[in-house]
Amino acid sequence: MTRILAALALVVTFFSAPVAYAVDVQEVISPGGIKAWLIEDSSLPVTAIEFTFREHGAALDPKGKEGLADLTSSLIDEGAGDLDSQAFQGALHDKSMRLSFYAGQDGFGGSFYSLNRYRDEGLDMLHLALTNPRFDAEPVDRIRSQVLVGLKQRQTDPNFIAHKTLMAQLFPDHRYGRSTDGTPESVSAITVDDMRDFTRRAFTRKSLIVAVVGAVTADELGPMLDRVFGDLPEGKPVVDTAKTDPVLSGGLTVVDMDVPQSAINFAQAGPDRSDPDFYAATVLNYILGGGGFSSRLTDEIREKRGLVYSVYSSLYPRDEASLWFGGAATRNAKAKETVTVLRDQWREVAEKGVTAEEVKNAKTYLTGSYPLSFTNTSHIASILVGIQREDLGIDYINRRNNLIEAVTPGDVNRVAKKFLTPDKLSIVVVGRPDGLSTDGPS
């Protein structure tokens, strides 16, 4: 970590200068053929491992069993092999090891963190969790109850309802349109056999992406990879899935909910992660709504008019579709004006573009803040997983700021005209907004 932080401190100090640091990412292939990316960091005696299984995210949950990947992720570390839930969790706690799993829409991932003195024991527990999870009745009932309580609470969360409604509209016949958390009915219908079948299908070597950061050498890592992942089935090669276009009506949907504040979600089509214009779109999004207190949306909606506490936009690239997404929350009495200003700003940026000064400031922030992403060992490993997943290249960390620096004001304004489509900006408002109704302001 010392080497990484020293290099990154140089970048923070001279953020306006060309990138002048290098992070050494190694590709390690185990004796058994398992590949991982490694950043060696001997400053602390710890090892962080992040991994994901592509293709087997919550979006693949069978109909009627939505929530399967999510429920499984909460139970993988609730007992494995000869260790029941209490013994498994107790062993992790006693050795201060962290082991967790999560289900995204396009993949199923895991995270491991341990002091090196306990690393071998922790690796064996991770191996057990992946190859022989128990799914005992007590933890299954306990975790399922927790999930059901969470689902019930979310039914009163206007932001959750807004997102769920918008995604269902954008992808009415696609798995992205279904809730990854499931419903009370679908979660209740999930069986232990469903979860065992899921782990057999999902946990394969062909779909595995691994990254490791810590006090571990390349020679040490090879056997570690085989120790943890070597017994997984080979599986089928991952194939690129077909793209789908979101259904963009450009309309407004109001979902009635008796709450004092309206939650607003909006989206249109966005650039894929592999699109050459993605970096210009990243700069544009920072100016439009990604720049916190310095974005156009914040200036016009929050600062000048005091309509909201926060409003944002973000790029949302997925395996099969990409969105330009955003959200806000405001008093019911101010929702109509918020939507009007949002649409006006979206159109103004699309038609008139942004200034060279805005582009310069956005690039300064985006390049200067990037090193701050590398201050946590596990987070660095997760970044490496993401880079592999998107096939950005093993030298991406060292190239990324140059890609941002190369963006010109002309690029940003060309991308604004190319991608921003105010007539197709679909908006969902959940609450009781004054003067708004479905299909447009009344």
Side-chain angles (χ1 to χ4, degrees), residues 144-156 160:
R144 192 198 306 272
S145 296
Q146 293 172 0
V147 171
L148 292 173
V149 169
L151 288 172
K152 185 176 182 180
Q153 291 174 338
R154 286 188 169 189
Q155 296 309 309
T156 62
F160 173 78

Side-chain angles (χ1 to χ4, degrees), residues 111-293:
S111 178
F112 170 85
Y113 184 89
S114 173
L115 292 168
N116 280 1
R117 75 174 75 171
Y118 304 127
R119 186 172 67 197
D120 286 349
E121 185 177 340
L123 294 176
D124 288 340
M125 295 181 69
L126 174 55
H127 170 264
L128 268 183
L130 291 172
T131 58
N132 192 20
R134 290 169 64 104
F135 300 117
D136 290 335
E138 185 279 326
V140 169
D141 291 343
R142 170 166 47 85
I143 298 296
R144 192 198 306 272
S145 296
Q146 293 172 0
V147 171
L148 292 173
V149 169
L151 288 172
K152 185 176 182 180
Q153 291 174 338
R154 286 188 169 189
Q155 296 309 309
T156 62
D157 180 350
N159 285 298
F160 173 78
I161 298 299
H163 185 269
K164 178 182 175 181
T165 303
L166 182 58
M167 294 300 287
Q169 289 183 351
L170 297 176
F171 303 102
D173 301 316
H174 190 273
R175 60 196 193 191
Y176 285 171
R178 293 188 287 153
S179 170
T180 58
D181 300 317
T183 66
E185 293 75 20
S186 66
V187 170
S188 298
I190 295 169
T191 67
V192 168
D193 285 343
D194 292 329
M195 290 186 279
R196 293 194 188 285
D197 180 63
F198 174 86
T199 61
R200 284 192 291 267
R201 289 185 290 108
F203 300 168
T204 68
R205 294 170 53 165
K206 286 290 188 185
S207 64
L208 178 65
I209 297 173
V210 187
V212 180
V213 176
V216 53
T217 68
D219 288 341
E220 292 171 328
L221 179 56
M224 286 169 51
L225 295 172
D226 287 343
R227 185 174 188 159
V228 175
F229 304 108
D231 289 337
L232 296 179
E234 191 70 8
K236 299 178 181 177
V238 174
V239 296
D240 291 335
T241 49
K243 295 289 185 181
T244 187
D245 294 324
V247 177
L248 297 161
S249 67
L252 173 75
T253 298
V254 175
V255 179
D256 180 66
M257 180 178 283
D258 188 10
V259 289
Q261 284 202 334
S262 292
I264 303 170
N265 274 203
F266 49 91
Q268 60 143 78
D272 293 338
R273 188 61 184 84
S274 59
D275 192 309
D277 283 328
F278 187 84
Y279 300 99
T282 298
V283 175
L284 173 60
N285 179 67
Y286 179 87
I287 297 168
L288 177 61
F293 291 106

